[in-house]
Every structure is written in structure tokens, then in C-alpha cells.
């Protein structure tokens, strides 16, 4: 290799990185020689179009499978399975970039400020689109003060979008001659703050001292992060990346398995990985389905029913690590030869 | 069989060639109509090797450049001969049809009046 070759050679080597490693090992030097031969023969350096074509050929090579039925079936399965995991990962990443809901301590402080009663219980949950949510429930004894509720929300930075006061009653001794309705005052409200929505209500019993009900206060807050514009696109993008990755991974492993003489173990490990990933991936697709069909204008963000609910969580918890371990086994055993490795030829 | 594949097999019919040798031969054979790009060439060489139509003949290192020569296998020679025969038949049919082509206002040669 002459000194004049060094510049173009470096450039061509960089371009060849578009090809998979195994292919580069087999054909890299001869493609490089051909490119240098072409340059020397007066074709000059590659044009932008030729460069793009070479890179496109390298990327296409990453998706190319051996001409056998098994690798094709495995590639389709792997693409479908990893598509599910990719979609869930994309969704997870999108929510990481979205605003978060208040912490349990912050929700507790807000509920206390609203009602003047401490000691609420917080329950984190996830919306139908897998967004963060937190539920707060408080039971105690306090006083009714609608303005305190309004002031506490505003002081905490919330923009009130709905605020109504209602009257009601609590029935005591129901069905008996002493049945009585104790008045109840309620505030129902909704508010937003920096991409987070809150709905809630407080009820305070006004009277019924003889029943121990006077001042009995209940408050409920439901705070969720609003679905951002990136949730659905990132879920779909994740699924597409997962599909492509599954296909590429199978292509790489298929050639690696084929290059070895011991193909039984890696093939068995690959079948195990695909089988073990089936149930977790199905659950992932159920999640994706919920994300895609969810009506973001629906005030009730809970999932009514998902097919994934029928599947025991243990199957997912067992299936995933088995799939990962089996995949690791494919990497470790693929390409192995029965005898000692041949001594590489000196350059 | 696509035209570049046919031309690559034709290029290798006489003697083994390395990558750039194939590109030049294909350009000559097609009278400049087909100029293979390296990406296309090596994709085709890989596929043809997998199909058993060509195989690596030898490797030579010249000025630090590795040149791998490819040769046509017996199976490749048969496939090329079959394709050449097929193309010849198609070409003959095309020529025969063109000879009998009716051009408005011009009587066909050899047609009885």
C-alpha cells in the first residue's frame, strides 16, 4: 500500500463500516482493493452517489439472510417479538421526557392544604397509555371551606379549570324508623399545571354529631401526566426499530451460526430464546395496543380490560430472563468449530 | 437471471477475475452500457457464491492489496449456457417478428399478391 493510498483507504474503510462485521472480515480487504483499483484507473474517488450506494449496500447486507427456510422463519419471529419490546421501550422513553406527577409527599402536602386534615394515603398507578399517575385518598375530621380548597390549589401553582360546590347528604340508620339524612357539602374541581392534570373532590359532613359524623371529611385527588405529542410516535418508532433490530440480529446470528461446525447448540438456544420471549412480547403488544387506541380526551384513564390481564405476571417474569440468557447462549456458542481454530494468515 | 448477473457470469466464463477485473470486463462486454458499482458487484458475487455458480479461485496480494479471484463453477457454466440459449431464442424470435412487421403503406416482402 503506497502512502498516496492512505487517505482514500481510510475513507473507504470508514465507508465499509456500513457492512456487518463478519462480512467485512470476509470481503473487506478485497472490496477495499477494488475501490483503490478503480480510483487508480481514473475513476477518481467515489462520487456522493457512489458513496451513498456503497453505504446502502452495506446496510442491505445487514438485513440479508442465508437462503434457508429456518433463518427466514426465525427472522420473522424475532422481528415480531422485538417489535413488541421496542414499542414498549419507545413508550417508556417518551414518558421519561414528559413531566412527572407530584411525589407522594407533595400530594400529601397538597391534600392537607386543601382540607386542613393531615394523613392522606398515596397510591401511584399508570394510565392506559402507561403514563404516571398518583391517587390520593384522605379520611379525617375537618371543616368545610371551599375557598381554602381554591386558595390551596392556586398557591400550589395549579390553574383551576373546573370548580363547583355541591350539597348532598349522608344517610344514617338507613331503612330504620330513625333514618336520617345528614347534610354534606362537597367541592369538585379540576386543574392543570405544566402538562399535569388533576381531578378531585372533598366532602365534609355538616352535622350528625350524635353519630360521630360531624366534620367527617373525605378527599380524593387523581393526578396524571397528560399524554404528550411524542407518546404515540415514539411507541411506533420503538416498535419499528425493534422489528428491524430483530431481523438484523437474526441475520447476523444466522451467518455466525453457519460459519461454525457446531450448529446444534446455538440453534437450540435460538429456538429457546424465541419461545421464551413469546409471552412477554404478547403482553408488550397488548400494552402498545392500549397506547394506540386510547382516546386521550377520555377523562377516565384506567384500562377497562386488556388481554394481557389474563396472563400471569410470572410467565413474563420467567420468560424474559430465559429469553435473554438463551440469546446470550446463542452469541457464545455460534460460530464455534469442532477442532482448533485455524491459524489466521499473516497479512 | 438479471442482466448484471448474466454479464458477471459471462465475464468469468473464460478465466478467473478479481473484483475490478470483473467491473472492467462487464463494462467491455456491455460496450459501456453496464458499469457495476462495488456495492452491487460484491452483493452479486456473494449471492452467486452462495448459489454455487461461482467460487473463490485464489487470492493475491499486490502492493499490499488483497485481490480475490473468482471463477465460474460447472454449475455456473451450465446456468450461463442455459441463459445464453434462452436469450438467443428470444433474440431470434424478436428478429423474426421484426422481419414480418407490417408498416402501413409498405407491402411486406415475400407476401403473395
Amino acid at each position: 500500500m503506497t502512502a498516496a493510498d492512505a487517505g482514500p483507504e481510510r475513507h473507504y474503510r470508514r465507508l465499509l463500516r456500513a457492512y456487518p462485521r463478519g462480512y467485512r472480515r470476509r470481503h473487506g480487504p478485497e472490496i477495499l482493493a477494488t475501490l483503490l483499483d478503480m480510483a487508480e484507473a481514473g475513476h477518481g474517488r467515489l462520487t456522493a452517489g457512489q458513496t451513498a450506494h456503497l453505504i446502502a449496500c452495506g446496510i442491505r447486507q445487514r438485513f440479508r439472510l442465508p437462503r434457508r427456510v429456518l433463518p427466514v422463519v426465525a427472522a420473522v419471529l424475532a422481528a415480531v417479538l422485538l417489535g413488541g419490546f421496542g414499542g414498549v421501550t419507545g413508550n417508556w422513553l417518551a414518558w421519561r421526557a414528559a413531566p412527572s406527577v407530584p411525589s407522594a409527599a407533595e400530594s400529601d402536602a397538597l391534600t392537607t392544604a386543601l382540607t386542613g386534615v393531615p394523613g392522606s394515603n398515596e397510591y401511584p398507578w399508570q394510565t392506559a397509555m402507561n403514563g404516571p399517575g398518583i391517587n390520593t385518598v384522605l379520611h379525617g375530621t375537618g371543616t368545610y371551606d371551599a375557598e381554602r380548597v381554591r386558595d390551596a390549589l392556586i398557591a400550589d401553582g395549579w390553574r383551576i379549570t373546573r370548580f363547583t360546590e355541591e350539597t348532598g347528604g349522608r344517610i344514617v340508620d338507613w331503612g330504620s324508623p330513625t333514618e336520617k339524612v345528614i347534610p354534606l357539602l362537597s367541592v369538585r374541581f379540576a386543574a392543570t399545571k405544566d402538562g399535569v392534570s388533576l381531578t378531585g373532590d372533598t366532602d365534609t359532613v355538616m352535622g350528625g354529631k350524635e353519630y360521630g359524623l360531624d366534620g367527617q371529611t373525605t378527599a380524593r385527588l387523581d393526578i396524571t401526566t397528560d399524554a404528550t405529542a411524542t407518546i404515540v410516535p415514539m411507541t411506533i418508532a420503538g416498535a419499528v426499530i425493534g422489528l428491524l433490530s430483530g431481523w438484523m440480529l437474526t441475520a447476523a446470528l444466522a451467518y455466525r451460526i453457519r460459519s461454525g461446525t457446531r450448529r446444534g447448540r446455538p440453534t437450540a438456544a435460538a429456538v429457546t430464546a424465541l419461545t421464551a420471549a413469546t409471552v412477554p412480547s404478547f403482553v408488550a403488544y397488548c400494552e402498545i395496543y392500549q397506547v394506540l387506541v386510547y382516546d386521550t380526551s377520555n377523562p377516565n384513564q384506567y384500562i377497562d380490560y386488556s388481554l394481557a390481564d389474563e396472563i400471569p405476571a410470572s410467565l413474563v417474569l420467567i420468560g424474559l430472563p430465559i429469553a435473554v440468557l438463551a440469546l446470550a447462549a446463542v452469541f457464545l456458542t455460534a460460530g464455534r468449530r469442532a477442532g482448533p481454530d485455524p491459524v489466521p494468515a499473516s497479512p | 437471471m438479471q442482466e448484471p448477473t448474466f454479464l458477471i457470469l459471462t465475464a468469468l466464463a473464460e478465466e478467473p477475475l478479481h473484483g475490478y477485473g470483473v467491473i472492467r470486463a462487464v463494462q467491455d462486454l456491455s460496450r459501456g452500457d453496464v458499469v457495476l458499482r462495488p456495492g452491487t458487484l460484491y452483493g452479486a458475487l456473494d449471492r452467486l457464491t452462495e448459489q454455487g455458480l461461482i467460487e473463490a479461485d485464489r487470492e493475491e496480494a499486490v502492493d499490499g492489496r488483497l485481490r480475490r479471484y473468482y471463477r465460474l463453477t460447472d454449475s455456473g457454466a451450465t446456468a450461463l449456457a442455459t441463459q445464453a440459449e434462452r436469450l438467443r431464442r428470444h433474440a431470434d424470435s424478436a428478429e423474426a417478428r421484426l422481419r414480418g412487421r407490417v408498416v402501413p403503406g409498405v407491402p411486406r416482402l415475400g407476401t403473395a399478391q
Side-chain angles (χ1 to χ4, degrees):
Chain A
M1 196 75 57
T2 63
D5 289 343
E9 188 191 337
R10 260 200 308 275
H11 174 63
Y12 295 148
R13 277 191 193 282
R14 272 200 300 272
L15 292 181
L16 290 179
R17 284 188 199 149
Y19 283 86
R21 193 188 299 173
Y23 187 90
R24 264 197 329 260
R25 218 174 13 243
R26 288 194 305 276
H27 297 295
E30 57 174 318
I31 300 178
L32 192 63
T34 300
L35 290 167
L36 291 169
D37 283 347
M38 285 176 70
E40 231 173 53
H43 292 270
R45 288 182 71 149
L46 294 180
T47 62
Q50 288 169 328
T51 301
H53 181 260
L54 189 65
I55 293 170
C57 287
I59 293 169
R60 193 173 61 187
Q61 187 64 36
R62 290 179 180 271
F63 289 92
R64 200 163 159 255
L65 293 165
R67 294 162 65 89
R68 302 259 172 83
V69 175
L70 198 60
V72 175
V73 172
V76 171
L77 282 175
V80 171
L81 295 176
L82 281 189
F85 297 133
V88 169
T89 307
N91 180 261
W92 183 83
L93 287 172
W95 280 116
R96 296 288 76 72
S100 54
V101 292
S103 66
E106 287 166 339
S107 294
D108 178 57
L110 177 62
T111 317
T112 303
L114 291 171
T115 58
V117 181
S120 61
N121 293 307
E122 275 69 36
Y123 308 96
W125 62 288
Q126 282 198 328
T127 68
M129 297 185 88
N130 292 328
I134 187 162
N135 241 319
T136 301
V137 180
L138 173 117
H139 295 289
T141 305
T143 53
Y144 177 79
D145 187 345
E147 284 314 303
R148 183 179 55 215
V149 173
R150 191 193 297 274
D151 292 346
L153 286 171
I154 292 169
D156 200 36
W158 294 91
R159 189 175 65 81
I160 297 169
T161 55
R162 178 167 54 82
F163 194 91
T164 55
E165 291 184 65
E166 294 175 14
T167 54
R170 182 167 296 176
I171 300 169
V172 291
D173 292 343
W174 187 78
S176 75
T178 57
E179 181 181 311
K180 194 175 172 185
V181 177
I182 312 289
L184 185 75
L185 292 179
S186 305
V187 182
R188 308 206 182 284
F189 48 88
T192 61
K193 181 171 81 171
D194 302 331
V196 178
S197 288
L198 172 153
T199 57
D201 56 70
T202 67
D203 298 327
T204 305
V205 181
M206 308 300 287
K209 206 169 188 174
E210 64 275 32
Y211 299 99
L213 292 176
D214 190 26
Q216 200 176 78
T217 300
T218 303
R220 283 168 294 267
L221 294 185
D222 202 354
I223 306 174
T224 53
T225 297
D226 300 336
T228 64
T230 60
I231 302 296
V232 170
M234 279 189 70
T235 305
I236 294 171
V240 172
I241 291 169
L243 284 166
L244 297 176
S245 305
W247 190 281
M248 274 204 304
L249 184 67
T250 310
L253 287 174
Y255 281 110
R256 198 159 153 176
I257 291 172
R258 206 177 64 157
S259 69
T261 52
R262 290 178 171 169
R263 298 176 189 174
R265 282 183 193 172
T267 305
V271 171
T272 307
L274 290 172
T275 309
T278 304
V279 172
S281 179
F282 177 75
V283 172
Y285 274 106
C286 289
E287 298 274 330
I288 294 171
Y289 177 76
Q290 291 284 351
V291 172
L292 297 185
V293 301
Y294 188 73
D295 174 12
T296 49
S297 60
N298 187 344
N300 175 17
Q301 299 197 47
Y302 289 90
I303 301 170
D304 288 334
Y305 173 73
S306 168
L307 261 180
D309 296 341
E310 307 287 327
I311 296 169
S314 56
L315 281 182
V316 177
L317 293 174
I318 294 168
L320 261 183
I322 291 177
V324 171
L325 287 174
L327 189 61
V330 181
F331 273 103
L332 290 173
T333 56
R336 286 205 173 167
R337 297 179 165 276
D341 286 341
V343 179
S346 52
Chain B
M1 190 183 288
Q2 291 183 338
E3 192 183 19
T5 308
F6 177 77
L7 289 170
I8 290 170
L9 293 179
T10 306
L12 296 172
E14 259 185 11
E15 57 175 347
L17 293 172
H18 57 75
Y20 183 57
V22 175
I23 291 175
R24 268 192 330 204
V26 165
Q27 196 169 355
D28 290 345
L29 285 166
S30 66
R31 295 178 188 175
D33 285 349
V34 179
V35 181
L36 291 174
R37 289 181 283 191
T40 310
L41 171 71
Y42 281 96
L45 290 178
D46 211 33
R47 195 182 67 250
L48 293 171
T49 304
E50 206 172 302
Q51 291 170 345
L53 301 181
I54 62 170
E55 61 190 3
D57 180 74
R58 66 183 190 281
E59 286 178 3
E60 283 178 3
V62 179
D63 294 336
R65 292 180 198 170
L66 179 86
R67 292 200 172 119
R68 183 174 289 151
Y69 286 74
Y70 292 88
R71 67 163 174 259
L72 202 62
T73 62
D74 291 344
S75 163
T78 307
L80 179 62
T82 306
Q83 182 66 6
E85 175 54 30
R86 191 163 165 265
L87 290 175
R88 188 178 301 114
R89 274 201 320 272
H90 290 171
D92 289 348
S93 303
E95 280 175 359
R97 289 262 175 168
L98 282 169
R99 275 196 297 273
R101 182 165 177 254
V102 177
V103 179
V106 179
R108 275 161 58 177
L109 289 174
T111 307
Q113 297 296 312

